[in-house]
């Protein structure tokens, strides 16, 4: 019964894009038990895949801010002990960065990863005992699946990716969700990726006319203020309460539709199979766009320097059968 450790720590979209390799490994490596090292803020996502036995959190983002603090090194020491409580047969670093390679080394087992020609950071390959050429120019999901297939000796699967997510009912959300709603993922890490407020408001009115309640999630205080500002201009729209990532997965899983800018949550919606429209304003969908199990369930709009407009979005929602 092989014990496999996956290293994919962040970001949220990258973690979502890594889920199909768990499904592939379960199908092609008999009896595989799979653990996953991930950034502490994203632990809810691997935990939603029944093929993941144990989720091990790391706090690289937090550790970097306090690198010389004794508490940081105590946590790193605890991580090493945790990883070595299991005798892993193989470690697979799909992150391909120096930080992930160092974490992989802590497990004390043979590490597989991309070779120096294709890995994201060349120095990471120095830490690997087994390296593989994973051709660039393909979607991140395909490259992840290719690396896993090469590392574990099976052919790259040809069916569409299966993200394997199983989202349970969240008791905390009982009675808080509208009967029929569309999630509007307006928040993003960069202002350059934002869709204009006026377009969100106009879309909210279009959704309401079709009996769909616009539902605006948020993360920090700035995003909450924007969600409230948008919802105030659309009678009947709902601003989400503070939600954990696991609860957000439930919200997305029950939505009639999702419209969102280029963030990890829009990739999660697509992975859950929801009718999803992704808005690319300052990025390209070519290598990291939506890649669901059913391609007909999503539409990616825009690109760097070519933002979509409201008509583009309403046509896409009509194409998905959400708007008439």
């Amino acid at each position: 019964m092989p014990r496999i450790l996956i290293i994919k720590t962040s970001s949220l979209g990258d973690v979502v894009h890594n889920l199909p390799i768990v499904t592939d490994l379960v199908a092609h490596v008999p009896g595989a038990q799979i653990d996953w090292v991930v950034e502490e803020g994203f632990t809810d996502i691997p935990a939603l895949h029944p093929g993941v036995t144990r989720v091990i959190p790391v706090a690289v983002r937090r550790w970097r801010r306090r690198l010389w603090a004794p508490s940081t090194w105590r946590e790193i020491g605890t991580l090493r002990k945790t990883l070595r409580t299991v005798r892993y047969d193989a470690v697979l670093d799909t992150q391909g960065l120096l930080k992930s390679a160092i974490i992989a080394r802590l497990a004390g087992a043979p590490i597989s990863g991309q070779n120096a020609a294709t890995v994201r950071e060349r120095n990471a390959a120095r830490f690997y005992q087994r390296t593989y050429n994973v051709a660039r120019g393909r979607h991140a999901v395909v490259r992840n699946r290719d690396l896993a297939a090469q590392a574990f000796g099976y052919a790259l699967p040809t069916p569409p990716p299966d993200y394997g997510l199983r989202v349970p009912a969240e008791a905390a959300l009982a009675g808080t969700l509208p009967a029929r709603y569309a999630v509007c993922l307006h928040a993003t890490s960069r202002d350059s990726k934002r869709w204009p407020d006026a377009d969100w408001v106009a879309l909210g009115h279009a959704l309401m006319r079709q009996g769909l309640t616009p539902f605006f999630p948020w993360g920090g205080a700035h995003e909450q203020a924007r969600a409230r500002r948008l919802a105030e201009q659309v009678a009947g729209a709902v601003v989400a309460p503070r939600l954990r990532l696991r609860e957000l997965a439930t919200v997305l899983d029950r939505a009639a539709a999702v419209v969102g800018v280029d963030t990890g949550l829009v990739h999660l919606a697509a992975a859950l199979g929801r009718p999803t429209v992704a808005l690319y304003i300052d990025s390209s969908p070519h290598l990291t766009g939506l890649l669901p199990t059913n391609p007909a369930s999503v539409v990616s709009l825009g690109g760097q320097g070519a933002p979509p407009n409201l008509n583009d979005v309403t046509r896409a929602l009509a194409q998905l059968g959400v708007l008439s």
Side-chain angles (χ1 to χ4, degrees):
M1 184 176 292
R3 294 297 300 264
I4 300 169
L5 180 67
I6 293 173
I7 314 292
K8 176 70 88 172
T9 60
S10 61
S11 60
L12 177 56
D14 291 339
V15 172
V16 171
H17 288 159
N18 206 57
L19 288 163
I21 73 169
V22 177
T23 307
D24 291 347
L25 288 170
V26 169
H28 293 91
V29 181
Q33 287 189 279
I34 302 166
D35 295 349
W36 186 325
V37 174
V38 70
E39 188 69 29
E40 59 185 356
F42 303 136
T43 56
D44 284 349
I45 300 306
L48 292 175
H49 196 304
V52 176
T53 302
R54 182 173 66 157
V55 179
I56 302 167
V58 293
V60 176
R61 294 179 175 184
R62 181 163 51 81
W63 293 340
R64 280 177 171 171
R65 294 195 296 270
R66 304 184 70 243
L67 186 58
W68 303 115
S71 60
T72 295
W73 288 98
R74 283 195 297 270
E75 288 187 39
I76 294 171
T78 299
L79 171 64
R80 183 180 184 275
K81 291 179 182 177
T82 299
L83 292 176
R84 299 216 175 187
T85 59
V86 172
R87 187 180 295 276
Y88 289 107
D89 297 291
V91 179
L92 182 66
D93 179 11
T94 61
Q95 192 87 26
L97 300 176
L98 186 59
K99 67 175 182 180
S100 58
I102 292 171
I103 293 169
R105 177 68 66 88
L106 295 178
I111 309 168
S112 295
Q114 295 182 47
N115 65 19
T118 64
V119 73
R120 290 171 65 185
E121 291 183 356
R122 290 179 62 89
N123 284 337
R126 296 177 181 270
F127 287 76
Y128 306 150
Q129 285 72 50
R130 301 163 185 161
T131 60
Y132 305 92
N133 188 286
V134 180
R136 294 178 176 178
R138 299 176 296 169
H139 194 282
V141 171
V142 178
R143 299 186 76 232
N144 289 336
R145 297 178 78 190
D146 189 7
L147 174 60
Q150 292 189 59
F152 291 94
Y154 57 87
L156 175 63
T158 55
D162 180 353
Y163 292 83
L165 292 165
R166 302 293 182 270
V167 180
E170 289 287 340
L173 293 173
T176 65
L177 295 177
R180 191 165 180 264
Y181 62 92
V183 178
C184 298
L185 298 172
H186 61 94
T188 175
S189 58
R190 297 203 316 261
D191 285 348
S192 61
K193 294 166 69 174
R194 286 174 51 174
W195 204 45
D197 285 11
D199 286 336
W200 280 117
V201 171
L203 176 62
H205 289 303
L207 293 169
M208 289 296 296
R209 288 193 293 270
Q210 298 284 316
L212 279 168
T213 301
F215 188 90
F216 292 96
W218 52 274
H222 179 72
E223 294 173 1
Q224 183 185 30
R226 187 174 188 228
R228 287 175 173 170
R229 186 170 66 250
L230 295 172
E232 285 171 356
Q233 300 175 72
V234 183
V238 173
V239 176
R242 179 178 291 279
L243 297 171
R244 296 174 299 139
L245 189 51
R246 181 185 177 95
E247 293 167 335
L248 269 169
T250 300
V251 169
L252 294 170
D253 193 46
R254 296 183 180 182
V258 178
V259 179
V261 292
D262 179 21
T263 67
L265 288 175
V266 80
H267 292 282
L268 179 58
L272 289 165
R274 305 317 304 144
T276 302
V277 178
L279 313 177
Y280 290 87
I281 289 98
D282 190 37
S283 56
S284 169
H286 176 55
L287 299 180
T288 56
L290 304 186
L291 191 65
T293 304
N294 175 16
S297 66
V298 305
V299 177
S300 295
L301 297 174
Q304 194 161 24
N309 59 39
L310 177 64
N311 288 335
D312 295 328
V313 176
T314 55
R315 281 196 297 269
L317 288 170
Q319 176 183 328
L320 295 174
V322 176
L323 297 182
S324 58

